[in-house]
C-alpha cells in the first residue's frame, strides 16, 4: 500500500535517530523536478525559534521517511555543511516550485503549484503536484510528474496532453500518471 505525503506535511517534521534523539527539523525538500527523485533535505534547528542549520541530510542517509518523522541511523548521517543542497537548488530547474505556474507546451494555463506530492513507500519520489485553482475548473487538481519540458522557479512547462490526466486526490495520481505515460508513448 502506498503512502502519499504533501511536502508541507514533511516540512517541520523532526529528524530522529534510531536511538530516539531529536537532532533537527526538516526545513525544505530538495528534489530533481525533471526526474522526481529526492536529493536531500535542508534542516533547521530543533527549537521553536531555531534558525536554519548549515547542514543537509542526503537522501541516501535517510533510514525511513514516515508521516511523523524522518529517521536516520545517528547524527553522523547529517552532512557537515549544506553544499549538496545549495548545489541542487542553484542548478538549472532548481529552487522552489511552490508558486510556479503550470502551463502546457501549447499555451494552456493549468494553475499554480501549491504543494508537491511524495509517494513515501519504498524509495520516496515526487509523483505529482497539487495545482490550484485551475483555469478550466477553478478547482484544485493533482497533476502527475512525467517529462516536464522545462522547470524554473516561476513556471513549469508540461506536455500538452497533461491537462487530460489529472486526479482529484493524491491517491489518483498513479492512474493519471499511467494514462499520461501511455499517451506520451503513443505520441512519440
Amino acid at each position: 500500500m502506498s503512502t502519499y505525503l504533501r511536502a508541507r506535511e514533511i516540512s517541520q517534521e523532526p529528524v530522529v535517530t534510531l536511538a530516539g534523539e531529536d537532532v533537527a527539523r526538516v526545513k525544505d525538500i530538495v528534489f530533481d523536478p525533471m526526474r522526481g527523485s529526492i536529493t536531500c533535505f535542508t534542516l533547521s534547528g530543533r527549537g521553536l525559534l531555531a534558525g536554519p542549520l548549515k547542514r543537509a541530510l542526503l537522501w541516501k542517509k535517510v533510514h525511513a521517511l514516515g508521516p511523523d518523522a524522518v529517521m536516520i541511523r545517528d547524527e553522523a548521517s547529517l552532512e557537515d555543511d549544506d553544499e549538496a543542497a545549495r548545489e541542487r537548488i542553484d542548478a538549472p530547474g532548481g529552487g522552489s516550485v511552490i508558486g510556479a505556474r503550470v502551463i502546457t507546451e501549447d499555451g494552456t494555463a493549468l494553475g499554480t503549484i501549491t504543494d508537491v506530492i511524495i509517494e513515501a513507500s519504498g524509495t520516496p519520489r515526487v509523483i505529482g503536484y497539487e495545482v490550484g485553482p485551475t483555469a478550466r475548473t477553478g478547482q484544485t487538481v493533482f497533476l502527475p510528474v512525467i517529462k516536464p519540458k522545462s522547470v524554473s522557479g516561476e513556471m513549469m512547462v508540461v506536455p500538452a496532453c497533461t491537462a487530460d490526466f489529472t486526479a482529484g486526490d493524491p491517491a489518483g495520481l498513479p492512474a493519471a500518471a499511467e494514462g499520461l505515460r501511455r499517451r506520451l508513448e503513443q505520441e512519440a
Side-chain angles (χ1 to χ4, degrees), residues 166-185:
T166 63
D169 60 24
L173 278 169
E178 183 57 32
L180 177 57
R181 187 175 290 110
R182 276 189 257 128
R183 172 79 65 82
L184 291 171
E185 286 172 359

Side-chain angles (χ1 to χ4, degrees), residues 40-41 43 53-61 75-85:
C40 63
F41 297 107
L43 305 172
L53 294 178
K54 297 295 183 199
R55 300 177 84 180
L57 173 57
L58 298 178
W59 174 251
K60 65 184 179 184
K61 302 276 183 98
E75 196 165 354
S77 299
L78 303 179
E79 296 297 301
D80 289 333
D81 62 41
D82 63 351
E83 187 166 331

